[in-house]
Amino acid sequence: MTVVALVPAAGQGTRLGLNIPKAFVTLKDRSLLERAVDGLLASGAVDEVVVMVPPDMIERARELVPRARVVVGGAERTDSVRAGLAAAGSADLVLVHDAARPLTPGPMIERVVAALRAGASAVIPVLPVADTIKRVGPDGAVEATVDRADLRAVQTPQGFSAAALRAAYDAAPGELATDDAGLVERAGGTVVTVPGDPLALKITTAFDLRVAEVLAQEQR
């Protein structure tokens, strides 16, 4: 079964406080995009990578990730994933991976693909929630303390049978979502989990980038 990984990389990453799309931010002399794509291919579990970027970054992306196919993404993440699905052709299995998770280890990627090959139609890597969770009202007052025993933080790559992901997107035309598995759930699909990895942290803020720089140095 052919595995194609889609990497949405058209987001601006305004919370990083920089003036370039987040995927093109440098982490220890290499862009987040390069690290994410190289990690997917190095895992040995992915046959092809499709990257979706802003129109004005097409040539730059092709220079950075020559082993990936680069296409124009959209204004929203869902638009980019739709563009990636269109480029994925006859792929049997599809991964959707954040460029902002540049240190994702290969074994975690392998776990997602292995679960798909074993018959799951949707797979997400997860970590237990360590912090106490409070439900807070509009006025800032705590309404309840949420039992975290059954809660999980979701990472990427999320994996799908191509049919399941296409069906979920077809069932939600125009809908915006930050989580592809959520679309599959709403379409009636079953989503299973595999263990995630703390190294697959998402870089959203300048603090996250500093943490990733330390981790990247340790990996080296």
Side-chain angles (χ1 to χ4, degrees):
M1 290 185 284
T2 304
V3 180
V4 175
L6 311 181
V7 181
Q12 291 302 308
T14 53
R15 282 177 286 180
L16 263 180
L18 302 174
N19 294 320
I20 60 173
K22 181 164 60 172
F24 296 87
V25 170
T26 298
L27 171 61
K28 289 293 182 183
D29 301 324
R30 298 174 63 215
S31 67
L32 304 188
L33 180 60
E34 288 173 89
R35 289 178 175 274
V37 170
D38 288 349
L40 287 164
L41 293 172
S43 72
V46 173
D47 299 301
E48 184 182 6
V49 177
V50 178
V51 175
M52 299 80 79
V53 301
D56 60 341
M57 299 299 285
I58 285 282
E59 293 306 319
R60 180 56 178 155
R62 287 172 177 163
E63 292 172 1
L64 291 174
V65 288
R67 293 192 293 166
R69 186 142 47 106
V70 181
V71 301
V72 175
E76 303 292 344
R77 186 179 185 280
T78 45
D79 299 325
S80 290
V81 174
R82 287 182 189 279
L85 275 172
S90 59
D92 302 295
L93 306 176
V94 176
L95 306 184
V96 183
H97 186 45
D98 298 327
R101 298 182 189 271
L103 304 180
T104 302
M108 194 183 97
I109 299 168
E110 292 176 41
R111 288 196 289 273
V112 173
V113 174
L116 290 173
R117 292 188 182 280
S121 60
V123 183
I124 55 174
V126 299
L127 291 175
V129 175
D131 295 322
T132 296
I133 303 297
K134 302 283 187 181
R135 182 180 297 112
V136 178
D139 61 353
V142 172
E143 295 181 343
T145 299
V146 180
D147 183 0
R148 69 189 183 198
D150 296 329
L151 299 180
R152 298 293 182 269
V154 180
Q155 300 179 308
T156 73
Q158 297 186 359
F160 308 91
S161 71
L165 188 57
R166 292 183 193 279
Y169 268 80
D170 288 345
E175 185 169 345
L176 303 181
T178 59
D179 175 61
D180 299 287
L183 292 179
V184 172
E185 292 169 41
R186 289 197 284 279
T190 298
V191 180
V192 302
T193 66
V194 296
D197 193 296
L199 282 173
L201 79 165
K202 185 177 183 181
I203 296 175
T204 301
T205 66
F207 177 79
D208 300 330
L209 186 59
R210 291 197 297 272
V211 171
E213 287 171 349
V214 173
L215 294 172
Q217 184 62 39
E218 291 180 352
Q219 281 188 329
R220 181 181 300 177

